[in-house]
Amino acid sequence: WLAALDVNTGALDPNVNVNFADKRQGTLRVAHFDISPDGTKLVATGTFLTADGLDRAQIAILDLTTTPVSVSSWQTNSYKPACSSHFDTYIRDVKWAPDGSYFIVGDTGAYFGGPGAGVLCDSVSRWEGNTSGPGQLPTWADYSGGDSITQVAVTGTAVYAGGHPRWENNPNAG
């Protein structure tokens, strides 16, 4: 579950009650999230495969403008394929751009073929923030060649990725 507390009283906000369920593996959890700069969307990542009963493998966008908060129609199949079974979730970080027009995902997973294999293991990817509906694809994905991305940051002009990649722009492992 994802919940919110009133900043003044500490009381549970009954309008935030999203059920993340059907774990991929490991312990069911929301591992990372970030709220868009305008406060209207929250992108959450974790070990879940559904959010409020909707197909949302490891990533979901919540609409914070609805009462109660709801899972948006945005959906991708890009995190359904398995990377290494060593990881309960292979998404390691997510951050919105300062203008809210896109968000960046950094992940691990061990090298499983790169772009030709249709997986996003060990990559940094950009996702447009104003899209909706099923089957969303990243605007771009940049592969590390087989090592983990553990943090991402976004400025108005650059995307930063941290971890222990051999080098970025490396779709060929090794």
Side-chain angles (χ1 to χ4, degrees):
W1 293 93
L2 180 70
L5 303 177
D6 183 289
V7 295
N8 296 313
T9 66
L12 188 63
D13 182 344
N15 293 310
V16 181
N17 189 14
V18 178
N19 182 14
F20 291 93
D22 303 319
K23 67 181 178 178
R24 184 177 169 273
Q25 66 184 52
T27 301
L28 181 62
R29 64 191 169 97
V30 171
H32 306 280
F33 69 88
D34 197 24
I35 297 173
S36 62
D38 65 3
T40 63
K41 298 174 189 163
L42 181 149
V43 60
T45 70
T47 61
F48 55 88
L49 296 176
T50 63
D52 277 351
L54 300 171
D55 179 27
R56 299 293 187 269
Q58 298 189 74
I59 188 167
I61 295 181
L62 306 183
D63 183 346
L64 302 179
T65 67
T66 60
T67 303
V69 167
S70 62
V71 178
S72 81
S73 67
W74 186 96
Q75 183 271 341
T76 183
N77 294 318
S78 296
Y79 295 103
K80 281 186 177 182
C83 290
S84 173
S85 62
H86 290 84
F87 306 104
D88 58 357
T89 177
Y90 46 96
I91 298 175
R92 291 293 183 244
D93 202 9
V94 61
K95 291 288 184 282
W96 282 96
D99 67 1
S101 64
Y102 66 93
F103 60 92
I104 298 295
V105 175
D107 57 62
T108 188
Y111 186 76
F112 273 68
V119 297
L120 291 176
C121 311
D122 296 318
S123 70
V124 176
S125 53
R126 173 184 166 146
W127 301 84
E128 297 310 308
N130 295 316
T131 58
S132 61
Q136 296 297 315
L137 295 171
T139 306
W140 54 256
D142 197 13
Y143 291 83
S144 71
D147 287 313
S148 299
I149 305 298
T150 56
Q151 300 93 28
V152 292
V154 187
T155 69
T157 58
V159 171
Y160 296 91
H164 61 90
R166 293 177 183 136
W167 64 85
E168 281 298 300
N169 303 313
N170 179 17
N172 307 304

